[in-house]
Amino acid sequence: MDNNSVILVCALQLFSQKGYNAVGVQEIVDAAGITKPTLYHYFGSKRGLLDSLLAEYMTGFFRVIEPAAEYDGDITNTLNKITFAYFNYAQKHKQFYRLALSSWFAPPDSEVFNAILPYMQRQQKLMEGIFLNAAKQHGNMKNRHEVYAYAFLGMINTYIGIALNGVTKIDDNTVYRVVHHYMHGIFS
């Protein structure tokens, strides 16, 4: 691997284990076996490094999520597809997903929260689109797309978070339970 890749791998590992704010530049360069000027050459700053990680992983994430979020006329089927997509991505990229979750729940004025915010807003809009389209068939969903999207994303990310901590497993049965539980709630 080249220096750029080594730095990204080491930073992701450290950010995932300790949290972005708990990791200093010196710790990253020590883990990568490079000097601070090398890190600054590639990324400009610790924030530049975080932005590079987010851009790289979120590009792949949206390549998986966006097709799954296309409403196919069946809300349950669409929610199953998107849930599978989220779960599969999180399982393949555990360190990154842990970083993304911790970033999303960081203080609102923090550097890490502001770095992840545009990506989280994009996810929210994708989810809202599902519920906006479904509302055309299900009148009880009308004008509730925003809250439904937050609630469903919250469920998905809660299951992913507890799975990353070894409390539960992410499998076909979990996808079924998440979507079934959610659908029962919005249609009751």
Side-chain angles (χ1 to χ4, degrees):
M1 284 195 292
D2 62 3
N3 282 339
N4 186 36
S5 299
V6 170
I7 297 166
L8 288 169
V9 167
C10 291
L12 178 59
Q13 183 177 19
L14 290 167
F15 293 160
S16 174
Q17 289 173 350
K18 298 180 178 189
Y20 175 80
N21 290 329
V23 177
V25 171
Q26 188 63 52
E27 190 172 2
I28 297 166
V29 299
D30 288 347
I34 58 154
T35 62
K36 283 184 181 180
T38 303
L39 184 141
Y40 295 135
H41 168 75
Y42 286 105
F43 303 104
S45 64
K46 180 179 163 188
R47 169 64 191 265
L49 176 55
L50 175 64
D51 289 340
S52 292
L53 278 169
L54 291 174
E56 179 179 326
Y57 280 90
M58 284 301 199
T59 297
F61 173 76
F62 284 111
R63 265 193 230 114
V64 170
I65 298 303
E66 286 175 339
E70 291 178 15
Y71 185 64
D72 63 6
D74 180 335
I75 185 65
T76 303
N77 188 53
T78 302
L79 293 180
N80 276 321
K81 287 188 311 184
I82 194 80
T83 303
F84 273 115
Y86 267 87
F87 284 5
N88 288 335
Y89 189 86
Q91 283 185 313
K92 289 178 185 172
H93 305 283
K94 292 176 183 175
Q95 288 181 330
F96 175 74
Y97 213 90
R98 182 179 300 282
L99 171 62
L101 286 178
S102 67
S103 300
W104 181 232
F105 292 102
D109 61 344
S110 68
E111 189 170 67
V112 69
F113 175 80
N114 285 296
I116 195 87
L117 181 60
Y119 299 106
M120 293 306 193
Q121 290 170 328
R122 185 172 168 189
Q123 290 177 63
Q124 174 68 18
K125 291 297 178 200
L126 280 173
M127 283 292 176
E128 285 181 21
I130 293 170
F131 293 108
L132 279 169
N133 284 316
K136 296 170 188 169
Q137 295 172 303
H138 305 282
N140 66 328
M141 290 184 174
K142 192 169 184 153
N143 298 322
R144 296 179 179 176
H145 58 280
E146 183 178 29
V147 71
Y148 284 172
Y150 279 125
F152 194 66
L153 270 172
M155 283 184 71
I156 289 172
N157 283 324
T158 296
Y159 273 91
I160 290 171
I162 61 177
L164 290 173
N165 287 338
V167 176
T168 191
K169 291 182 180 178
I170 294 177
D171 56 20
D172 291 354
N173 188 44
T174 305
V175 171
Y176 171 80
R177 286 192 335 248
V178 168
V179 174
H180 180 76
H181 173 84
Y182 185 80
M183 293 304 296
H184 179 72
I186 65 173
F187 282 131
S188 61

